[in-house]
Amino acid sequence: MIPGTGTLVNALTVLLGAGLGVALGHRLPERTRDLVTDGLGLVTLLIAGTSAMEVLSPALSDAVGSSAPMLIVLGSVPIGGIAGSLLRLEQRVEQVGGWVQRRLTRGGAGEARQRFVEGFVVSSLLFCTGPLTILGSLSDGLGNGADQLYLKAALDGFAAIAFAASFGWGVAASVLTVVVLQGTLTLVGVAAGGVLPEAHLAAVTAVGGVLLVGVALRLLRLRDLAVADLLPAVLVAPVLVQVVAWMQ
């Protein structure tokens, strides 16, 4: 299998799902579209909780000790948040969404533009912060198959239908984020020739689960967290695991 096939399939399912969602969205009342978004928020919470439970991974405990895994997650999120805030990642993601919107749509100001940007940002975060993004892309790049990305593609396709029914074409624009991020991670896998140790992957997955909670809170309209600013936390986590392991 050629590396990158999984990302290509994922991109196609997002575009197909978004197209169906836009077609259906005009036929659904706003109350129904809001309910669909709420349901996605609840499902995202479930996925987030499942991912965050990797903090209890035996491999992670063996590498850093039984009391350190929670501290690694606790340290990764604020450190990553500080880095992301200084880099203004949330603002930059929103600017990218606005830039894409201006080039793919005619006019579109005020509420329409905000809805496009929100769809782009939320979809990009949901499609790109889960563990399958990292693990699947690396596995694909290493030549171990794209099964995980095919599963992610199916999930993202159904999610894109629901999101596009509420947010419109901004969801389809998020395919750019999917291609760039997953394509980059696939190339990293090709270059690395190996995967991160299991303990490091567990830490990345746990931190990714925490970030998905932030996405869920946005979908449920409970708190508009700047989740993009927290994304560097997934890079900080394996570094902290290695530091703590060296100190053992």
Side-chain angles (χ1 to χ4, degrees):
M1 186 68 66
I2 301 174
T5 302
T7 295
L8 177 60
V9 171
N10 199 167
L12 291 175
T13 59
V14 169
L15 289 174
L16 178 60
L20 290 173
V22 170
L24 292 173
H26 298 295
R27 295 174 172 80
L28 297 175
E30 183 177 357
R31 176 178 57 84
T32 302
R33 285 185 274 126
D34 287 344
L35 182 62
V36 169
T37 303
D38 290 341
L40 281 172
L42 294 175
V43 173
T44 302
L45 274 179
L46 175 62
I47 297 172
T50 302
S51 300
M53 288 300 291
E54 280 296 301
V55 74
L56 303 177
S57 167
L60 183 56
S61 297
D62 291 342
V64 300
S66 59
S67 61
M70 194 66 70
L71 295 177
I72 287 173
V73 175
L74 182 62
S76 298
V77 174
I79 292 174
I82 291 171
S85 178
L86 292 175
L87 293 171
R88 298 182 179 179
L89 294 182
E90 181 81 12
Q91 180 181 350
R92 296 180 192 281
V93 170
E94 291 181 351
Q95 288 173 344
V96 170
W99 180 85
V100 173
Q101 188 267 346
R102 288 192 297 272
R103 281 154 180 76
L104 295 184
T105 63
R106 295 181 178 178
E111 184 178 350
R113 179 182 183 280
Q114 180 59 35
R115 198 166 189 80
F116 184 100
V117 172
E118 183 70 8
F120 173 79
V121 172
V122 171
S123 300
S124 295
L125 290 170
L126 182 63
F127 296 156
C128 296
T129 59
L132 286 176
T133 299
I134 299 172
L135 300 179
S137 299
L138 287 174
S139 179
D140 190 16
L142 292 165
N144 296 330
D147 292 348
Q148 295 180 63
L149 286 184
Y150 293 150
L151 171 60
K152 179 180 180 294
L155 295 173
D156 288 354
F158 284 112
I161 295 174
F163 274 123
S166 297
F167 295 114
W169 286 113
V171 177
S174 69
V175 75
L176 299 175
T177 311
V178 172
V179 170
V180 171
L181 181 59
Q182 291 185 187
T184 300
L185 288 172
T186 299
L187 291 176
V188 169
V190 172
V195 296
L196 286 171
E198 187 177 351
H200 296 62
L201 286 174
V204 169
T205 302
V207 170
V210 173
L211 301 191
L212 282 176
V213 173
V215 175
L217 293 178
R218 290 182 66 156
L219 291 173
L220 295 170
R221 297 178 293 282
L222 295 176
R223 182 71 183 274
D224 191 19
L225 293 177
V227 182
D229 282 345
L230 296 171
L231 287 176
V234 299
L235 301 177
V236 174
V239 175
L240 291 183
V241 170
Q242 191 61 50
V243 170
V244 174
W246 282 337
M247 296 172 60
Q248 294 294 315

